[in-house]
Amino acid sequence: MASRTGSMTGVTGGGAAALAIMLATATGLVLGASQPAQAQDLCSRYTIVRGDTLSQVARIAGVEGGFQVLFNANTDILRSPNLVEIGQVITIPCADGSLPGAAVAAPAVAPPPPVTATRPLRVITASGYAPFTDKDLPGGGMFTQLVLRAFALGNPDQEVNFFFVNDWNAQLDNLLPSGAVDMAFPWFKPDCDRVEILSPPNAYRCTDFNHSDPFYDALVGYYTLAGSPYDGATDHADLLGARICRPDAWFTFDMEAEGLTEPQVTMVRVTQLECWRQLDAGDVDIVTYDALPAEDDARTLGMAERVVSLDALTATATLHVFVAKSNAEANAALPALNAGLEQLRLTGEWFSIVRAGIQAAIEN
């Protein structure tokens, strides 16, 4: 089992070349001795063989957006981008982002017309979460583009007023529960079938809110400095006793499930960039949050070459649109939003938006 991919040198700038390097060195546990992956083609299905990794398959097949896009095309089969099993049959997207054989058959019975709210829906997100949401990104970020397109496809008659409200905590604590806004995104959803194991600050994401279908399966990474006592960790238990920085306002339900809570670890809650600065200064041992913004932040601070990703600990978490359970009109509009999301995936537009967002994040 490989404990890490090495330094993050491969995710520094350089346009398309940097993207290719990043995808070639991305996560994936090797099944036995390394062997060249068999020939793979876009717009096909491929059977995993010994030696394959998801990043290998993506690179050889030429999947734009790499292993992240390939993983998102196969979340019904793959539990983690770090683990592929011999004999699994995965789907490789077509060049236009659509999935092979994904043509939509005419339904035997026409679906009911979508419910349109009696007023414009107030939908919010916040800046500072590149490449997902930021007012300075094209279209407000790739997640913003996905949500607005899903609304347009699912119910073009639904009027939506969209805002950036740059207070993440207020979105779930005040704005949604009070009815000041109707929907907020992007928010991570815990396993609501196991709400009893969650602390109150995490459980209320299940008890107080309903959720759209998952728009995106994000990778949650764990990072340390090369040569640190935690370099090479292969199990969450290896982090017991560590000082772990998970940025303020980010979820912790995944860490609770792995036993990474006080007093087993020392939790530090500061801003994203401050997490990295404290890692650099030796004030924390581990930084952990969503891999795309995390690795972008490390590059921004010039730390990429000194940071290693603990790939064996990488997990996934799904991003959703949240609505308060008490908001009848917002809940009535959720099926149309989900229907639009399904259309995005079937036509390939979802993949086009996502791979463009990922590539822009790497190149910039």
Side-chain angles (χ1 to χ4, degrees), residues 70-82:
L70 185 57
F71 173 71
N72 275 282
N74 291 277
T75 53
D76 57 332
I77 297 171
L78 303 176
R79 292 176 295 131
S80 166
N82 293 333

Side-chain angles (χ1 to χ4, degrees), residues 19-331:
L19 178 64
I21 295 171
M22 187 279 287
L23 299 179
T25 59
T27 61
L29 298 181
V30 178
L31 298 170
S34 178
Q35 301 173 9
Q38 294 179 343
Q40 299 107 50
D41 299 303
L42 293 174
C43 210
S44 66
R45 289 182 171 83
Y46 173 74
T47 302
I48 297 295
V49 300
R50 183 174 297 277
D52 280 348
T53 67
L54 208 59
S55 57
Q56 263 187 325
V57 176
R59 174 172 52 84
I60 294 172
V63 178
E64 291 192 41
F67 79 100
Q68 175 70 79
V69 168
L70 185 57
F71 173 71
N72 275 282
N74 291 277
T75 53
D76 57 332
I77 297 171
L78 303 176
R79 292 176 295 131
S80 166
N82 293 333
L83 182 62
V84 292
E85 299 176 2
I86 296 170
Q88 285 180 320
V89 180
I90 63 173
T91 298
I92 301 178
C94 306
D96 64 359
S98 63
L99 297 180
V104 183
V109 179
V115 174
T116 303
T118 60
R119 55 172 174 76
L121 292 177
R122 300 176 294 270
V123 181
I124 64 169
T125 188
S127 285
Y129 187 21
F132 299 100
T133 60
D134 194 291
K135 65 180 180 180
D136 294 327
L137 292 174
M142 70 183 191
F143 202 103
T144 303
Q145 295 176 54
L146 291 173
V147 171
L148 296 182
R149 281 296 293 150
F151 269 119
L153 292 172
N155 185 2
D157 293 329
Q158 177 61 63
E159 186 177 352
V160 175
N161 291 334
F162 170 68
F163 307 94
F164 282 91
V165 178
N166 293 326
D167 185 342
W168 289 104
N169 288 325
Q171 292 186 17
L172 298 192
D173 291 345
N174 301 307
L175 298 177
L176 282 179
S178 70
V181 300
D182 299 301
M183 298 183 173
F185 69 86
W187 284 94
F188 287 96
K189 173 180 169 289
D191 181 355
C192 292
D193 292 332
R194 303 179 65 200
V195 67
E196 69 280 355
I197 73 169
L198 300 175
S199 64
N202 288 315
Y204 90 125
R205 297 190 184 209
C206 296
T207 59
D208 291 16
F209 302 97
N210 288 323
H211 324 90
S212 70
D213 290 341
F215 271 76
Y216 189 85
D217 290 78
L219 305 181
V220 181
Y222 285 77
Y223 305 92
T224 190
L225 291 178
S228 84
Y230 299 96
D231 184 358
T234 59
D235 190 276
H236 291 90
D238 295 337
L239 304 186
L240 296 179
R243 300 164 296 172
I244 302 179
C245 193
R246 172 67 61 88
D248 187 30
W250 282 75
F251 63 90
T252 57
F253 50 78
D254 60 321
M255 300 178 69
E256 290 177 5
E258 298 295 343
L260 298 179
T261 57
E262 299 275 5
Q264 284 74 30
V265 299
T266 300
M267 287 292 298
V268 177
R269 306 283 279 169
V270 292
T271 65
Q272 293 175 201
L273 292 180
E274 184 60 23
C275 277
W276 290 106
R277 294 187 183 103
Q278 291 199 23
L279 181 69
D280 197 27
D283 296 328
V284 301
D285 304 302
I286 302 290
V287 170
T288 171
Y289 57 105
D290 187 344
L292 276 179
E295 294 180 7
D296 182 62
D297 288 344
R299 288 191 298 269
T300 296
L301 294 177
M303 295 180 60
E305 294 186 1
R306 293 179 289 116
V307 170
V308 294
S309 170
L310 304 178
D311 290 344
L313 308 187
T314 301
T316 59
T318 52
L319 281 163
H320 303 253
V321 176
F322 274 33
V323 304
K325 288 186 175 180
S326 58
N327 189 324
E329 293 221 71
N331 280 281

